């Protein structure tokens, strides 16, 4: 995987705020659930990059969980070197409740300190027997849904907002969007804590929404 100079610059700037010795340094990234593989790959490449520039070794450690839960852990004292969470609101909570971040943290890097984007994926049964292709198909009879809980998962809030935005564009009002989202959540088979356990429940439902 190749990374842009911008992403390396962002990571370098974050790391430069932490004191390093010549010896290997443990470096904890507190992140949300779907980023395990992303940072596993990124950390290896960045460690090589940093070593070549500074001669310093980094031993990356990762902590993953629901974005809101991770923010609360940092507020309660988890010693993170970097937080990479799903929602700006979760990082705002850290800034507002600790002295770890400036209140205007989004202004520190390009794109409001958001180095990448994602999308919503519908994971369906083999062969897609219900013919699910778009948001409107989720409220068809016989469709059951598994999705994380928006109260505990940042990605689940994006699922919620994506459904709302689709319905508002389709039907023209927030009231109709609210009714559409209500229909989706009324069809839930399971409302789970975080994305990492989605596949454990998919066998008992028709569709899972992933961020």
């Amino acid at each position: 995987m190749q990374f842009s100079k911008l992403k390396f610059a962002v990571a370098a700037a974050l790391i430069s705020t932490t004191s390093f010795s010549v010896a290997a340094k443990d470096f904890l990234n507190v992140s949300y659930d779907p980023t395990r593989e992303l940072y596993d790959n990124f950390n290896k490449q960045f460690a090589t990059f940093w070593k070549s520039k500074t001669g310093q070794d980094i031993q990356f450690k990762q902590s993953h969980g629901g974005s809101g839960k991770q923010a609360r852990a940092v507020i309660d004292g988890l010693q993170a070197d970097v937080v990479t969470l799903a929602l700006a609101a979760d990082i705002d909570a850290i800034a507002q409740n600790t002295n770890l971040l400036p209140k205007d943290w989004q202004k520190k890097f390009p794109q409001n300190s958001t180095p990448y984007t994602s999308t919503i994926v519908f994971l369906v049964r083999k062969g897609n027997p219900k013919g699910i292709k778009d948001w409107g198909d989720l409220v068809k009879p016989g469709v059951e849904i598994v999705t994380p809980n928006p109260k505990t998962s940042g990605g689940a809030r994006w699922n919620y907002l994506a459904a709302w935005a689709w319905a508002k564009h389709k039907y023209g009002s927030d009231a109709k969007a609210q009714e559409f989202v209500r229909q989706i959540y009324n069809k839930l088979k399971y409302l789970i804590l975080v994305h990492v356990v989605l596949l454990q429940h998919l066998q008992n439902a028709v569709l899972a929404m992933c961020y």
Side-chain angles (χ1 to χ4, degrees), residues 72 79 88 106 110 119 132 159 190:
R72 172 48 56 185
Q79 297 296 303
Q106 283 188 300
T119 189
I132 296 169
N159 293 348
Y190 295 105

Side-chain angles (χ1 to χ4, degrees), residues 79-177:
Q79 297 296 303
D81 293 291
V82 170
V83 290
T84 52
L85 301 179
L87 295 173
D90 292 326
I91 301 178
D92 283 339
I94 296 173
Q96 291 163 5
N97 290 281
T98 73
N99 293 320
L100 299 172
L101 295 170
K103 299 294 191 296
D104 62 346
W105 61 271
Q106 283 188 300
K107 298 179 181 179
K108 302 300 182 181
F109 299 106
Q111 307 299 323
N112 288 325
S113 293
T114 304
Y116 56 82
T117 60
S118 186
T119 189
I120 309 303
V121 175
F122 296 158
L123 182 62
V124 300
R125 288 182 180 273
K126 185 176 181 179
N128 193 13
K130 298 292 184 179
I132 296 169
K133 297 181 179 179
D134 207 342
W135 286 100
D137 298 325
L138 303 191
V139 296
K140 288 180 177 178
V143 174
E144 294 177 326
I145 301 169
V146 177
T147 189
N149 189 337
K151 293 182 179 180
T152 58
S153 168
R157 297 179 203 178
W158 288 118
N159 293 348
Y160 183 101
L161 292 172
W164 187 291
W166 180 90
K168 184 174 181 179
H169 178 76
K170 177 77 172 179
Y171 303 119
S173 72
D174 284 321
K176 292 182 178 178

Side-chain angles (χ1 to χ4, degrees), residues 18 26-31 61 63 70 73-75 77-84 94 100:
T18 301
D26 287 344
F27 192 85
L28 178 60
N29 178 10
V30 175
S31 194
K61 294 186 177 181
S63 171
Q70 292 290 80
V74 173
I75 293 169
L78 180 60
Q79 297 296 303
D81 293 291
V82 170
V83 290
T84 52
I94 296 173
L100 299 172

